[in-house]
Amino acid sequence: DQPTKRIDCIGKGEVESSILSRSTSLSPLQIKAFSPVAEEFEPIRAQFNQSTAALEETLGGVMTGVSSIRSGLDEINTASNDLAQRTEQQAASLEQTVAALSEVTRGV
Protein backbone atom coordinates (compact mmCIF):
# COMPACT_ATOMS: atom_id res chain seq x y z
CA ASP A 1 0.00 0.00 0.00
CA GLN A 2 2.89 2.33 0.66
CA PRO A 3 4.10 4.13 -2.43
CA THR A 4 7.64 3.32 -3.37
CA LYS A 5 9.83 6.35 -3.86
CA ARG A 6 13.27 6.59 -5.34
CA ILE A 7 15.44 8.46 -2.94
CA ASP A 8 18.97 9.59 -3.43
CA CYS A 9 20.91 8.92 -0.25
CA ILE A 10 23.91 11.18 -0.20
CA GLY A 11 26.99 9.09 -0.84
CA LYS A 12 24.96 5.87 -1.09
CA GLY A 13 23.63 6.11 -4.65
CA GLU A 14 20.04 5.70 -5.68
CA VAL A 15 18.08 3.37 -3.44
CA GLU A 16 14.54 2.13 -3.83
CA SER A 17 12.65 2.48 -0.57
CA SER A 18 9.22 2.97 0.89
CA ILE A 19 10.63 5.64 3.21
CA LEU A 20 7.82 8.09 2.55
CA SER A 21 4.53 6.60 3.54
CA ARG A 22 1.22 8.34 2.91
CA SER A 23 -2.37 7.19 3.03
CA THR A 24 -4.60 8.45 0.22
CA SER A 25 -7.11 9.62 2.84
CA LEU A 26 -4.56 11.96 4.44
CA SER A 27 -3.73 15.45 3.36
CA PRO A 28 -0.49 15.94 1.42
CA LEU A 29 1.19 17.34 4.54
CA GLN A 30 0.57 14.23 6.60
CA ILE A 31 3.67 12.50 5.30
CA LYS A 32 5.96 10.64 7.67
CA ALA A 33 9.24 8.85 7.10
CA PHE A 34 8.58 5.47 8.76
CA SER A 35 11.19 3.18 7.25
CA PRO A 36 14.59 3.05 8.84
CA VAL A 37 17.38 4.82 7.00
CA ALA A 38 21.15 4.71 7.22
CA GLU A 39 22.25 5.58 10.74
CA GLU A 40 23.89 8.84 9.68
CA PHE A 41 20.54 9.98 8.19
CA GLU A 42 18.39 8.98 11.15
CA PRO A 43 18.55 12.49 12.72
CA ILE A 44 17.36 13.94 9.41
CA ARG A 45 14.44 11.48 9.30
CA ALA A 46 13.49 12.31 12.89
CA GLN A 47 13.76 16.05 12.20
CA PHE A 48 11.64 15.63 9.05
CA ASN A 49 8.93 13.85 11.04
CA GLN A 50 9.01 16.50 13.78
CA SER A 51 8.85 19.30 11.21
CA THR A 52 5.92 17.81 9.32
CA ALA A 53 4.07 17.17 12.60
CA ALA A 54 4.64 20.78 13.70
CA LEU A 55 3.54 22.09 10.30
CA GLU A 56 0.45 19.87 10.40
CA GLU A 57 -0.43 21.18 13.88
CA THR A 58 0.11 24.79 12.82
CA LEU A 59 -2.04 24.42 9.72
CA GLY A 60 -4.72 22.71 11.83
CA GLY A 61 -4.76 25.78 14.07
CA VAL A 62 -5.01 28.03 11.02
CA MET A 63 -7.92 25.99 9.68
CA THR A 64 -9.68 26.22 13.04
CA GLY A 65 -9.16 29.99 13.02
CA VAL A 66 -10.47 30.29 9.48
CA SER A 67 -13.54 28.28 10.46
CA SER A 68 -14.17 30.58 13.42
CA ILE A 69 -13.80 33.66 11.22
CA ARG A 70 -16.24 32.23 8.67
CA SER A 71 -18.75 31.49 11.42
CA GLY A 72 -18.38 35.03 12.78
CA LEU A 73 -18.80 36.50 9.30
CA ASP A 74 -21.97 34.46 8.77
CA GLU A 75 -23.38 35.79 12.05
CA ILE A 76 -22.47 39.37 11.10
CA ASN A 77 -24.08 38.92 7.68
CA THR A 78 -27.29 37.57 9.24
CA ALA A 79 -27.41 40.39 11.78
CA SER A 80 -26.77 42.97 9.05
CA ASN A 81 -29.60 41.57 6.93
CA ASP A 82 -31.95 41.57 9.93
CA LEU A 83 -31.04 45.17 10.73
CA ALA A 84 -31.60 46.23 7.12
CA GLN A 85 -35.03 44.57 7.11
CA ARG A 86 -36.02 46.25 10.41
CA THR A 87 -34.81 49.60 9.11
CA GLU A 88 -36.92 49.22 5.97
CA GLN A 89 -39.96 48.30 8.07
CA GLN A 90 -39.43 51.31 10.38
CA ALA A 91 -38.99 53.62 7.39
CA ALA A 92 -42.27 52.35 5.90
CA SER A 93 -44.01 52.77 9.26
CA LEU A 94 -42.63 56.30 9.61
CA GLU A 95 -43.81 57.13 6.08
CA GLN A 96 -47.33 55.95 6.99
CA THR A 97 -47.24 58.01 10.18
CA VAL A 98 -46.20 61.13 8.22
CA ALA A 99 -48.99 60.52 5.71
CA ALA A 100 -51.55 60.12 8.52
CA LEU A 101 -50.33 63.29 10.25
CA SER A 102 -50.57 65.14 6.95
CA GLU A 103 -54.18 64.03 6.62
CA VAL A 104 -54.95 65.19 10.16
CA THR A 105 -53.20 68.50 9.53
CA ARG A 106 -55.19 69.07 6.31
CA GLY A 107 -58.39 68.32 8.15
CA VAL A 108 -57.71 70.84 10.89
Side-chain angles (χ1 to χ4, degrees), residues 59-106:
L59 290 178
V62 169
M63 294 301 290
T64 299
V66 166
S67 178
S68 295
I69 290 170
R70 281 186 179 164
S71 176
L73 288 174
D74 287 343
E75 289 176 16
I76 290 169
N77 187 40
T78 299
S80 176
N81 289 337
D82 290 347
L83 180 60
Q85 186 177 16
R86 285 195 311 266
T87 302
E88 285 179 20
Q89 290 171 348
Q90 289 174 349
S93 177
L94 184 57
E95 187 177 347
Q96 290 173 352
T97 302
V98 168
L101 284 175
S102 293
E103 287 294 320
V104 168
T105 303
R106 276 189 235 149

